[in-house]
Amino acid sequence: MGSDKDAASHRSVASSKAAAVGQDGGMERGAWGGKLEFILTCIGFAVGLGNVWRFPYLLYKSGGGAFLIPFVIMLFIIGIPLFHLELNFGQFASLGPLTIWNISPIMKGLGFAMISTNLCVALYYNVIISWCLYYVFASMTDVLPWVDCDNYWNTEYCYTTAEFANLTAENITEVFINNETVPRGKLKSPSEEYYYNKVLQMSDGVGSSGTIVWQLALCLLLCWAIVFFVLIKGIGSLGKVVYFTSLFPYVLLTIMLIRGVTLEGAALGIEFYLIPDWEKLTDPKVWSDAATQIFYALSTCTGGLIAMASYNDFHNNTLRDSLIVPIVNVLTSFYAGFVIFSVLGYMATVKGVPVADVAADGPGLVFVVYPEGLATMPIAPLWSILFFIMMMILGLSSMFSMVECVFSAFMDEYPGVLRKSYWHTAIFRATGCLCFYLVSLPMVTNGGFYVFTLFDTYTGNFPLLVVGLLELITICYIYGYKNFAEDTKMMLGKKPNIVFAIMWCGLSPLAVLMIIVMTAIYYSPPTLFSGAYVFPSWAEGIGWGIVTFCLFMLPVVFLYVMCKEGAYKIIKRTSQPNELWGPASEKNRTGRFERIRPESSLFDPDEKDLPWKADGHTALQTHQPLPQGLNYVRAVEFDGRVKTHHVDHNGGVENKAFDHDHDHHKENSPGHEGGHADHHSTTNSSSSSSSGSGDEGEDKIRPTSDHVQPFDTTIF
């Protein structure tokens, strides 16, 4: 037993080395320095900006603490099963999300869909990080620039936090500005005008792109430079950086939480965050939002998990990782909610309004509401710097894995070029980061926020859901669950638990399909500022163009592989008339229909008598297997003889064809005495003899051609 284990271990090491070194002797593919590096990278990849700006607001909007029920259920039905599936998938093959679809070449479009979706997310994700970087620099001052309304970017509609509090205290719902009655809802806070007027320099619509905001362009360039230098050596450098990027945000979250809960009114915000609204559980959209949030939270179906798992040791315990990372992710989201809503409760108390009036999600939460709360704290610049550094690191920890996923996919697909040397790899990564930066520039123009919103709205829904559904179908049904279970046993020593089998083959794909349907039902065109700005139809078309870009390679690759493997010939052949086509009455079958007789049938070589007619003009065929693995192809010719081709199992054709006499067909047929082997011996003997006339009773097989073209399956 010990020697067997040693041999297996030796083979595993040898296999790992073979996988790590390209066939052309190029650079090694790389591997994690330890198990902790992989777990921290997965945590950093999964825990991102959405944990802070999307989940807390979604929980509040969807019933408070009651939302945790559908969220946890969807976590165990979709989240953890998909997470475990992708870790097993990537670790078993040790390949990136493109090459790994050797498992089913016809579905390789899934790999392209994963990469495309992942890239679209990365493009707008780094724009958010550049905004955070801008705020870090802007916070390095004695007084935060969004404290008052005395700046050149402010308008007459700007009201400070203290002025809002006075309006609330006096129960004023309207104010007079320039002889105009303005509802309170149209008034702006200093932080709101700073974000939209100063940072974004936002235009009045998606059709007004304006010019590039150079400050944001420089911040974006710096962010892409950080990504490049962290990934310059692939996971070799990424594995070391994640010790900081994955752990330090928890330190900052804890510091911000301690500060938040000590503020006046913090309990009001936390209470608002947690109080359950049980009636919300009857709303189908709440369940749909819970399931969709799983994809955001765990970053499944983007190829990133497959790429990260591909660098694992072949026998790494994926089940342990599949439980640790999702649970840590969900707890982080829940924890971040206390950080956010403690400050929102404070803001509501200062303004004298309900918490619902200050709650927001997305950019509105991170760059408008929360900074407004930070500005009212003692030592405001310090808290602002800490908060935006935390947001920047949360974003970068996800960004590193997203971009490495794209790089590793193409490097695995073309290792002979992209892994030929260190410089080939470095140049490829530098070129990629530069191209991604240039493509992102439209999102830092005056109209860039509208472009950003389209990417954020359309990338994370349908593409991820469609990829997730097809991924489950491909692995569990096309490749086959039994095969995948055996692969897992080879890797981990045992098959997946029966619970995962039920989820992968039944509940998970069904749940994802239901989410797709619900997402389609509840779809509405994107808007901004609580519906105040509605995107024009052509901009909505661009949004669906983003969805198309993410998914269009699915049908393209499918059709390409089908045609490459002969589907075009099959379609062409089966679209032509068969031997039964023509006049139904035999007497009317003249001209070109005279050659084919519909009552003629295919024959079996074991039949005693051939079902052909002496005066018939039949051109039919059949394929019969031989014990040697060959195919025996025959057709009844016009003179009542049988043309025989010997076809090997690869589809090639032996360059011999024979005419069999009718009376001696059985004696020279495969499966009977004097079968296949006798054909060749008889041929050799008969080739030197004179050819007979084919009279009845003459036991001869005469060669008719030394060069026979591959036998076509059409009527001839």
Side-chain angles (χ1 to χ4, degrees):
M1 291 293 292
S3 60
D4 292 341
K5 291 183 178 179
D6 293 341
S9 177
H10 177 74
R11 286 193 299 269
S12 175
V13 172
S15 175
S16 299
K17 290 182 177 179
V21 181
Q23 294 179 355
D24 57 353
M27 292 183 62
E28 292 186 357
R29 189 173 186 274
W32 296 112
K35 295 180 181 179
L36 186 58
E37 286 186 9
F38 169 68
I39 294 177
L40 290 178
T41 301
C42 287
I43 291 175
F45 180 39
V47 177
L49 296 173
N51 296 73
V52 176
W53 81 6
R54 193 185 301 272
F55 178 83
Y57 178 80
L58 189 62
L59 188 144
Y60 135 71
K61 187 184 72 172
S62 303
F67 178 72
L68 292 176
I69 295 176
F71 186 76
V72 171
I73 291 175
M74 290 300 173
L75 175 69
F76 283 96
I77 293 179
I78 299 176
I80 293 177
L82 265 176
F83 200 94
H84 189 44
L85 179 85
E86 293 196 348
L87 291 193
N88 284 353
F89 190 29
Q91 183 171 300
F92 179 81
S94 297
L95 292 171
L98 191 56
T99 312
I100 200 170
W101 290 102
N102 292 332
I103 190 175
S104 180
I106 200 170
M107 298 302 293
K108 193 170 185 177
L110 271 173
F112 287 102
M114 287 179 170
I115 296 169
S116 300
T117 305
N118 189 57
L119 180 58
C120 287
V121 174
L123 292 178
Y124 80 79
Y125 215 76
N126 221 18
V127 172
I128 304 173
I129 299 172
S130 70
W131 296 341
C132 294
L133 183 61
Y134 183 101
Y135 270 81
V136 170
F137 290 139
S139 300
M140 295 178 180
T141 179
D142 294 337
V143 179
L144 293 177
W146 56 86
V147 169
D148 53 49
C149 298
D150 301 327
N151 306 286
Y152 69 86
W153 58 82
N154 294 125
T155 67
E156 63 271 20
Y157 299 102
C158 179
Y159 269 56
T160 65
T161 302
E163 290 171 334
F164 268 110
N166 292 334
L167 293 177
T168 302
E170 298 175 12
N171 198 25
I172 298 176
T173 59
E174 295 178 339
V175 296
F176 290 95
I177 300 176
N178 296 332
N179 297 322
E180 177 187 1
T181 301
V182 179
R184 175 174 171 165
K186 288 189 176 181
L187 300 179
K188 309 294 182 182
S189 66
S191 61
E192 185 175 1
E193 291 200 340
Y194 178 79
Y195 176 57
Y196 293 112
N197 298 345
K198 175 65 172 67
V199 179
L200 301 181
Q201 300 178 32
M202 191 173 175
S203 65
D204 57 359
V206 66
S208 303
S209 59
T211 60
I212 293 177
V213 180
W214 66 268
Q215 298 94 331
L216 293 180
L218 289 178
C219 289
L220 183 62
L221 179 62
L222 181 56
C223 290
W224 278 111
I226 293 172
V227 171
F228 167 69
F229 285 113
V230 168
L231 298 180
I232 191 170
K233 292 184 178 180
I235 63 164
S237 51
L238 174 60
K240 305 301 181 289
V241 174
V242 293
Y243 284 99
F244 173 75
T245 59
S246 297
L247 296 177
F248 189 61
Y250 289 97
V251 176
L252 295 179
L253 274 173
T254 302
I255 293 174
M256 298 301 297
L257 176 62
I258 294 173
R259 180 63 184 123
V261 296
T262 59
L263 295 171
E264 181 185 2
L268 179 65
I270 294 174
E271 180 183 6
F272 187 79
Y273 174 55
L274 293 178
I275 289 181
D277 181 359
W278 301 110
E279 292 183 0
K280 288 284 188 178
L281 295 181
T282 61
D283 185 357
K285 192 174 187 309
V286 170
W287 291 82
S288 176
D289 289 342
T292 304
Q293 178 60 24
I294 291 295
F295 287 89
Y296 282 110
L298 300 182
S299 300
T300 54
C301 305
T302 62
L305 294 176
I306 294 175
M308 297 304 103
S310 69
Y311 296 106
N312 270 342
D313 176 76
F314 187 73
H315 300 292
N316 177 63
N317 186 350
T318 55
L319 178 59
R320 175 200 59 207
D321 301 339
S322 301
L323 294 176
I324 291 176
V325 177
I327 292 175
V328 168
N329 181 282
V330 171
L331 292 178
T332 301
S333 299
F334 189 62
Y335 186 61
F338 290 94
V339 178
I340 297 300
F341 274 86
S342 61
V343 175
L344 293 185
Y346 163 70
M347 282 297 303
T349 301
V350 171
K351 285 188 170 184
V353 297
V355 177
D357 290 352
V358 297
D361 68 336
L365 172 64
V366 175
F367 299 104
V368 176
V369 177
Y370 208 86
E372 184 180 2
L374 294 173
T376 63
M377 297 181 186
I379 324 176
L382 173 62
W383 298 114
S384 180
I385 291 173
L386 290 176
F387 175 74
F388 285 108
I389 286 179
M390 177 192 72
M391 293 299 297
M392 189 173 68
I393 294 175
L394 280 174
L396 285 173
S397 63
S398 298
M399 189 69 188
F400 296 148
S401 298
M402 282 190 281
V403 178
E404 178 59 25
C405 167
V406 178
F407 288 155
S408 65
F410 288 100
M411 291 172 69
D412 285 341
E413 189 74 3
Y414 307 104
V417 177
L418 302 180
R419 282 204 177 98
K420 189 173 183 179
S421 67
Y422 169 80
W423 291 109
H424 280 74
T425 301
I427 292 173
F428 168 66
R429 293 177 182 274
T431 303
C433 288
L434 179 60
C435 291
F436 300 155
Y437 167 71
L438 295 175
V439 173
S440 304
L441 283 178
M443 282 185 271
V444 291
T445 61
N446 299 130
F449 187 74
Y450 301 100
V451 180
F452 163 84
T453 302
L454 290 176
F455 270 84
D456 185 35
T457 301
Y458 286 95
T459 303
N461 287 327
F462 283 106
L464 291 179
L465 295 172
V466 171
V467 169
L469 178 61
L470 294 180
E471 183 180 26
L472 287 165
I473 292 174
T474 301
I475 294 177
C476 296
Y477 289 98
I478 297 179
Y479 179 64
Y481 171 75
K482 289 184 178 180
N483 292 328
F484 190 68
E486 289 295 333
D487 296 343
T488 304
K489 182 179 180 181
M490 181 191 306
M491 181 173 63
L492 303 179
K494 59 181 179 181
K495 294 182 179 181
N497 189 281
I498 186 63
V499 174
F500 284 107
I502 295 172
M503 295 298 176
W504 291 339
C505 297
L507 291 181
S508 295
L510 182 61
V512 175
L513 180 60
M514 292 178 61
I515 300 165
I516 294 176
V517 174
M518 296 300 297
T519 303
I521 292 175
Y522 287 102
Y523 169 79
S524 61
T527 61
L528 284 174
F529 313 123
S530 301
Y533 179 83
V534 179
F535 282 82
S537 57
W538 63 266
E540 187 179 358
I542 292 176
W544 285 109
I546 296 172
V547 176
T548 303
F549 169 76
C550 294
L551 300 177
F552 86 102
M553 286 300 289
L554 279 167
V556 169
V557 173
F558 184 90
L559 293 175
Y560 170 76
V561 174
M562 287 285 289
C563 293
K564 182 180 178 182
E565 296 299 323
Y568 174 75
K569 293 182 179 179
I570 296 174
I571 294 173
K572 182 179 179 182
R573 185 179 74 244
T574 55
S575 63
Q576 300 298 316
N578 62 22
E579 70 278 4
L580 301 178
W581 169 246
S585 176
E586 183 67 24
K587 65 180 181 180
N588 295 327
R589 297 183 72 87
T590 60
R592 62 190 177 94
F593 294 104
E594 187 178 0
R595 299 187 52 168
I596 302 177
R597 305 189 63 164
E599 67 271 17
S600 301
S601 60
L602 300 179
F603 49 80
D604 187 273
D606 293 333
E607 293 293 336
K608 189 170 184 179
D609 298 318
L610 292 175
W612 55 275
K613 296 184 179 181
D615 60 344
H617 303 292
T618 308
L620 302 178
Q621 62 189 27
T622 183
H623 293 236
Q624 298 294 341
L626 288 177
Q628 292 86 351
L630 304 178
N631 287 331
Y632 196 53
V633 183
R634 301 182 298 169
V636 180
E637 291 285 357
F638 310 124
D639 59 357
R641 300 186 182 280
V642 180
K643 178 186 285 187
T644 303
H645 292 276
H646 292 228
V647 186
D648 65 24
H649 64 280
N650 291 321
V653 181
E654 293 183 3
N655 294 327
K656 292 291 182 180
F658 308 91
D659 280 347
H660 290 221
D661 287 343
H662 166 233
D663 291 347
H664 296 278
H665 162 69
K666 182 175 180 179
E667 287 78 358
N668 294 297
S669 297
H672 296 280
E673 189 175 356
H676 180 73
D678 291 340
H679 281 271
H680 296 283
S681 61
T682 309
T683 301
N684 294 333
S685 62
S686 63
S687 62
S688 59
S689 64
S690 59
S691 56
S693 60
D695 296 336
E696 295 291 335
E698 183 177 358
D699 189 5
K700 292 183 180 180
I701 300 178
R702 299 180 297 277
T704 59
S705 173
D706 290 333
H707 301 285
V708 178
Q709 294 298 321
F711 191 76
D712 195 0
T713 56
T714 57
I715 302 301
F716 57 87

